[in-house]
Amino acid sequence: MLNAFDWINHTTSLLVGDVQTWVFVTLVQPVLYHFHLMVDDDFAYDGVLWFLAGLLQIAVVYAVLRPLEALRPLEVWPNRRAVRVDVLYTFINRLGLINLVLFFTLQPSFDSLQEWFRLRGIDNINLDTLWPGVTDRPLVAFLIYFIVLDFAGYWYHRAQHQIQWWWELHAVHHSQRQLSLWADDRNHLLDDVLQAAFFAMLALLIGVPPTQFVALSLVSGALQSLQHANTRLSFGWLGERLLVSPRFHRLHHAVGYGHELGHQNNARLYGCNFGVLLPWWDVLFHSADFTTPLQPTGVRAQLPAPDGQGEDYGDGFWAQQWLGLRRLTRRIAGLGRAAPPGGRAA
Ligand SMILES: [Zn+2]
Ligand SMILES: [Zn+2]
């Protein structure tokens, strides 16, 4: 019987396999040889897979979510101009450009880190060593990797909010006030590279096979697009406790809730709803909020005074990247603004 994991794999290779070979042989290889680029064939072939799978994923996500946004919008905007830049972020990220940068910049340190692990005998925390035979069942292995990576994702995301210099980068993601199906990949590029490096390293360490890693990334990306979509969609009481819903994640983006001191009397000092795909960790570590009604999204510092400081996070891609770097260097140099009354500096 074909299980869900096999189905994803089969469909991807069916849809992408022949095209991948064709693109590789007719377009990529000639260019590599012509310019004498010393790129490993396997690496280039995998790169084509990321690119095509990403393209397919964007098409499917758009075909499903865009009609929902048009028919049942949650927020009605005068125009969608602010959304355009997020389309660019989506293409940069999902077509594998970040992985390409990662490969060329961090591969040497990656290799030495792996060697370091190997020398200390911690190169095989992989699933099959801990639980022999479990990886024979691809779906079980897939679900375990999914849960482990998501658990790491929860703490990674909390750190992005709690560590001040890191928040200055993550604020690019939160500065979108018109959340849509495109908003997920709106990140600082430096943050993207850090994140890709962290999860690739973790996947390598726990022994996630490359095909499963691609499938995990595709499923995760599609679900995260859904979380940001501007549409009225309820998962129901139980559903939103099993899987992060658009409502749950939108509250994470809410001004005064997602990041700033919104809950001074309890443990949610740095916001709520950090879960990437599973809200379980938020429930377990007391950062879940299922009840607060939806609020406008954004960063408090963006609001005009007296609510905020009218801080500019940039409208275009380069402005957002530059301002993010400037906030980061100022924070590191200790020049960050003092926290405004009732809220933290952003
Ligand atoms: Zn966040
Ligand atoms: Zn988000």
Side-chain angles (χ1 to χ4, degrees):
M1 200 186 77
L2 207 65
N3 61 43
F5 172 72
D6 283 340
W7 185 83
I8 292 170
N9 251 2
H10 276 297
T11 318
T12 313
S13 61
L14 214 76
L15 290 167
V16 162
D18 289 345
V19 187
Q20 183 187 8
T21 310
W22 183 85
V23 171
F24 180 70
V25 173
T26 49
L27 301 174
V28 178
Q29 252 179 349
V31 172
L32 293 182
Y33 291 143
H34 183 81
F35 293 103
H36 303 290
L37 293 172
M38 300 299 282
V39 177
D40 180 55
D41 267 3
D42 286 344
F43 170 72
Y45 191 69
D46 287 347
V48 174
L49 174 69
W50 275 105
F51 182 88
L52 293 173
L55 212 56
L56 187 70
Q57 189 218 37
I58 293 174
V60 171
V61 161
Y62 185 80
V64 174
L65 296 180
R66 189 64 193 99
L68 277 178
E69 286 193 336
L71 294 171
R72 293 171 55 84
L74 184 74
E75 290 179 344
V76 179
W77 307 318
N79 60 64
R80 293 174 60 87
R81 224 175 297 142
V83 169
R84 278 184 217 154
V85 67
D86 294 355
V87 177
L88 178 64
Y89 280 109
T90 304
F91 278 88
I92 290 177
N93 215 306
R94 303 232 172 143
L95 298 186
L97 222 67
I98 300 296
N99 290 336
L100 207 66
V101 173
L102 183 72
F103 181 83
F104 285 111
T105 53
L106 296 178
Q107 187 65 26
S109 29
F110 234 65
D111 288 343
S112 38
L113 195 60
Q114 237 185 320
E115 179 65 12
W116 189 89
F117 281 142
R118 200 185 59 76
L119 287 174
R120 279 152 191 81
I122 42 178
D123 62 327
N124 51 0
I125 312 178
N126 66 60
L127 212 52
D128 215 48
T129 321
L130 296 175
W131 187 355
V134 69
T135 50
D136 296 346
R137 292 166 156 266
L139 183 62
V140 176
F142 182 80
L143 289 176
I144 295 175
Y145 293 135
F146 183 98
I147 293 170
V148 171
L149 292 177
D150 195 72
F151 176 72
Y154 170 81
W155 288 107
Y156 188 93
H157 190 188
R158 275 189 79 150
Q160 285 179 309
H161 280 262
Q162 292 189 13
I163 299 172
Q164 282 291 319
W165 65 263
W166 211 348
W167 161 251
E168 303 300 356
L169 295 180
H170 185 54
V172 173
H173 181 67
H174 282 263
S175 65
Q176 176 56 283
R177 297 166 78 180
Q178 294 187 356
L179 280 191
S180 75
L181 70 100
W182 299 103
D184 177 50
D185 293 300
R186 177 198 182 99
N187 291 307
H188 200 280
L189 293 180
L190 192 57
D191 206 9
D192 273 335
V193 172
L194 282 176
Q195 183 156 342
F198 174 80
F199 285 100
M201 199 68 230
L202 183 61
L204 211 66
L205 191 68
I206 61 174
V208 184
T211 48
Q212 291 230 359
F213 193 64
V214 175
L216 282 162
S217 304
L218 291 176
V219 170
S220 164
L223 287 172
Q224 289 184 75
S225 296
L226 171 68
Q227 291 168 11
H228 293 89
N230 177 33
T231 184
R232 290 175 194 283
L233 185 69
S234 169
F235 278 21
W237 187 93
L238 183 64
E240 71 172 359
R241 280 160 178 80
L242 293 176
L243 195 67
V244 169
S245 70
R247 219 198 90 81
F248 185 85
H249 191 65
R250 194 167 273 267
L251 201 58
H252 173 69
H253 278 266
V255 179
Y257 284 89
H259 170 64
E260 295 95 347
L261 264 173
H263 306 261
Q264 305 204 19
N265 301 321
N266 60 27
R268 295 185 200 125
L269 288 182
Y270 294 97
C272 64
N273 301 4
F274 300 100
V276 182
L277 301 173
L278 305 171
W280 313 347
W281 321 119
D282 281 298
V283 173
L284 209 61
F285 301 107
H286 310 291
S287 55
D289 187 337
F290 292 100
T291 51
T292 303
L294 286 178
Q295 317 279 327
T297 57
V299 179
R300 195 196 288 281
Q302 278 175 303
L303 304 180
D307 298 323
Q309 295 100 334
E311 183 160 344
D312 181 21
Y313 285 77
D315 292 328
F317 178 82
W318 292 113
Q320 288 162 3
Q321 295 297 312
W322 163 245
L323 291 170
L325 266 189
R326 204 174 65 173
R327 287 193 305 273
L328 172 73
T329 45
R330 284 188 173 174
R331 178 67 66 188
I332 290 173
L335 300 171
R337 257 200 329 268
R344 295 177 16 176

